[in-house]
Amino acid sequence: MASSSSCSSSIQTRSGPVDGDVLWMQPKHVSEHVWNGEPDRKLHIRRAVPTYQGEEQIPEEIVPLLRQCGFYWIMKMGYLKINAALISAFIERWRPETHTFHLRCGEATITLQDVSILLGLRTDGAPLIGSTNLDWANLCEELLGVRPQEGEIEGSVVKLSWLAHHFSHINIDEGNVEQLQRFTRAWILRFIGGVLFVNKSSSRVSLRYLQFLRDFEQCSTYAWGPAVLAYLYREMCSATDYKVKSIGGMCILIQMWAWERCTTLAPKRTPPVIENKPLGHRWLRRGNQHIGNDDLRVFRRKLDLMKRHEFVWEPYTPTVMAALPQICVVGSVVWFAVVPLICFHVVEWHQPDRVLRQYGLQQPIPGCPSQPQNLHGITLKGKQDENWFHLLAPIISQWNNAAQFRVDVYPRQQGLLGFNSDYMVWYRRKTKMFVDPNNANTAALGEVVETLQYMVSPQGRNTWTVDDLVPYVDKLAIISEEQERVTEPVSHGPASEREFPAPEFHILQSSVETRGLGRRREPVEAEQYSQQMMERGHGMYYTPATFSEYPSQMYQYPFEGHHTDTSASEHSFGGVAETQAHFSWPTMTPSQQHDAPMATPNAPFAPQWNVPGAIPDMGDLLGVDLRQEFSAEAEQAEAGRQRGRRNPDRQARRWDRPCGTSSRHRGHHND
């Protein structure tokens, strides 16, 4: 991470990853563009929430039917506001190769468990796959009672405005069940096209989903949860292309997942769990309908600097699980399964084997990603006549036999995973740890390390004791997260017992879409990020200008009369012969030596910090304002000492009295 030369030096920060066998799409990933300093890209969230009578609400008359088909709980969450900056920051850490977020603490992802518990959608059942070449106008007339005219339907796609026009109000005679069912189907279709499976236009919906709404009881048996997650995975993978400006799918799920697991990103007040409702409903309460900070750089910085204890691996405690309705735990057998998630042509792999800590299990080094690349970019374009049941038969078979692909065979994880565990050592070589080079702690701390280098030099030792240095070394180690690496022993995790290599499906071989998501992306090369330093002086990295005036780079001393003897002497420091300048100090009384600011480790910082490298921005880089931290600590310590004295002026008067002056004579100087 760091390098230096004999004449000048710079701290080099690598973009990552060190090994490119896992994140092989990194040169085509949005994070590479961010690293190179290109303009920030905040994604537009494609969404068109259905309204009733001009308000965002669900008609009371259709609630029983929505419950019957399993859509009621998720529809209530469709009105939650979405923070586009938060979503964009997580997309910068989403990896299409593994279907996981690559965070500082390891891989994490949205799983079928999250879909069940947060949204209340069923995660087992028949995969969502059907015919793609029906007579769609006839299907509309049969199930909705209205036939779309030319211009309102194009192929299998109908305008959402057409649905809103014909189904904006419920004018149903009492007891007319068929009309109520038609209105409910239209409402679900509007929700599907506006929230769940949003296309690029955000104004149309495919009628291929209407065939699953014929019978409401049968509708509840389909695997809607895996279909929603598959579509969201595909949208997130596509959005990792820097040129893509928008994202669809159930983005609310990303936001709620982040709120439940990332303590530094969630609203300040976490609402309580609501009895017999999916967990995500607690965020719908009045007062929680906000998006908070909408600054992409703030969220990016928080993720770059996130500590391992700030990520909650198991937010779904037994208390939380006991309060959930039955729909949230139905189909839990597939939560642990490495299986394909199917939504017609969209096939995305569910890979819980890479995030076992989310289930409370020990994480071994995972095998290769399971996602077949030739299925990652498949679309329906030009394939309406394909028999998808036959085409995806092996994939459907793996879904139907999900129990054979479960990975919950590992022992329980006790506490946080060690910094030097087998997995974390492997992970740090395979991941991109920082998205923004300005947030790379190892580079930013280089400037602070220079301060410590001076403190332990022969000059610094004249004013600093080892005891004074200890707390600051500890603080810097904690900030840089190097303390864990240095102090924690190597720990070995379980051997990987169940690996499922990416299967090969030789389908649609003549289609260019089988080349995967990266076929249209242009690779970029990560720029080298470094913090240049001045030429060395006295065997150190460099000698800041303040060193020639003051014995410490940190503190400025409120007295005059000292001078620097430019004659030099040679010291052996760290095995290197160093030429040092002599400092001559003014004569001071013993009381001055104890009370003067120069010998106080927690003295306030000097007004100016003359060190190259934009030291005033250290607070932004490290997540901690070092000046404020030390100054506040100094003020608190001084206030404590003042409270412990009967007369706070006594100490000041002690050295004034021999000269016969009062403590009120502030202009006194010791000759």
Side-chain angles (χ1 to χ4, degrees), residues 159-170:
K159 291 183 177 180
L160 288 173
S161 58
W162 177 80
L163 288 171
H165 173 72
H166 288 280
F167 300 94
S168 59
H169 300 278
I170 299 181

Side-chain angles (χ1 to χ4, degrees), residues 41-45 84-85 87-88 91 239 241 244-247:
R41 181 208 62 173
K42 183 188 294 186
L43 292 167
H44 167 68
I45 309 298
I87 302 300
S88 302
I91 294 302
D241 184 355
V244 173
K245 305 303 180 184
S246 65
I247 184 173

Side-chain angles (χ1 to χ4, degrees), residues 608-626:
Q608 205 168 15
W609 185 298
N610 298 318
V611 181
I615 281 297
D617 294 331
M618 288 298 293
D620 295 334
L621 296 173
L622 301 178
V624 176
D625 188 339
L626 296 179

Side-chain angles (χ1 to χ4, degrees), residues 367-632:
C368 62
S370 301
Q371 177 68 37
Q373 293 306 313
N374 65 327
L375 299 181
H376 218 173
I378 297 295
T379 68
L380 277 179
K381 187 177 181 179
K383 308 179 188 64
Q384 288 81 2
D385 296 330
E386 294 284 353
N387 185 336
W388 290 95
F389 286 102
H390 174 73
L391 204 62
L392 302 180
I395 299 172
I396 297 174
S397 175
Q398 183 168 341
W399 167 258
N400 292 333
N401 296 280
Q404 300 178 15
F405 300 91
R406 288 169 61 95
V407 293
D408 52 335
V409 295
Y410 298 96
R412 292 282 302 175
Q413 173 69 40
Q414 302 296 328
L416 296 175
L417 188 61
F419 196 87
N420 290 322
S421 64
D422 293 340
Y423 171 80
M424 289 305 299
V425 172
W426 169 87
Y427 177 72
R428 285 194 296 273
R429 295 188 60 85
K430 307 296 181 180
T431 191
K432 179 177 175 62
M433 194 67 71
F434 300 101
V435 174
D436 188 339
N438 292 323
N439 295 332
N441 287 12
T442 49
L445 280 173
E447 299 288 354
V448 183
V449 169
E450 297 299 328
T451 302
L452 286 181
Q453 286 182 325
Y454 179 78
M455 291 179 185
V456 298
S457 69
Q459 294 96 334
R461 293 178 184 180
N462 292 332
T463 55
W464 289 80
T465 67
V466 175
D467 291 336
D468 293 331
L469 287 173
V470 169
Y472 299 108
V473 174
D474 291 342
K475 286 183 179 181
L476 291 174
I478 292 173
I479 292 174
S480 66
E481 288 195 349
E482 291 297 304
Q483 186 184 49
E484 291 87 351
R485 182 182 64 82
V486 173
T487 60
E488 289 186 2
V490 174
S491 58
H492 302 289
S496 183
E497 299 182 17
R498 307 210 70 184
E499 294 187 8
F500 304 99
E504 295 185 5
F505 299 99
H506 302 288
I507 64 173
L508 303 172
Q509 297 186 30
S510 60
S511 174
V512 296
E513 294 175 349
T514 58
R515 299 177 187 174
L517 288 176
R519 68 184 187 278
R520 294 179 178 176
R521 304 187 189 184
E522 297 180 2
V524 295
E525 185 176 352
E527 296 180 358
Q528 193 172 39
Y529 176 76
S530 64
Q531 291 184 323
Q532 298 295 332
M533 298 183 182
M534 297 173 60
E535 291 187 359
R536 286 192 183 188
H538 314 307
M540 298 168 59
Y541 279 111
Y542 62 88
T543 304
T546 50
F547 285 3
S548 62
E549 301 176 6
Y550 302 104
S552 172
Q553 177 179 0
M554 280 187 168
Y555 306 110
Q556 208 169 43
Y557 300 91
F559 56 83
E560 300 176 356
H562 71 279
H563 65 277
T564 303
D565 183 0
T566 55
S567 62
S569 63
E570 211 171 62
H571 302 275
S572 177
F573 179 58
V576 179
E578 302 181 352
T579 303
Q580 306 288 2
H582 292 291
F583 288 89
S584 177
W585 303 94
T587 305
M588 302 181 68
T589 66
S591 59
Q592 279 181 293
Q593 293 173 1
H594 288 288
D595 296 334
M598 69 171 184
T600 306
N602 291 324
F605 281 99
Q608 205 168 15
W609 185 298
N610 298 318
V611 181
I615 281 297
D617 294 331
M618 288 298 293
D620 295 334
L621 296 173
L622 301 178
V624 176
D625 188 339
L626 296 179
R627 297 188 184 186
Q628 184 176 354
E629 287 288 308
F630 294 151
S631 299

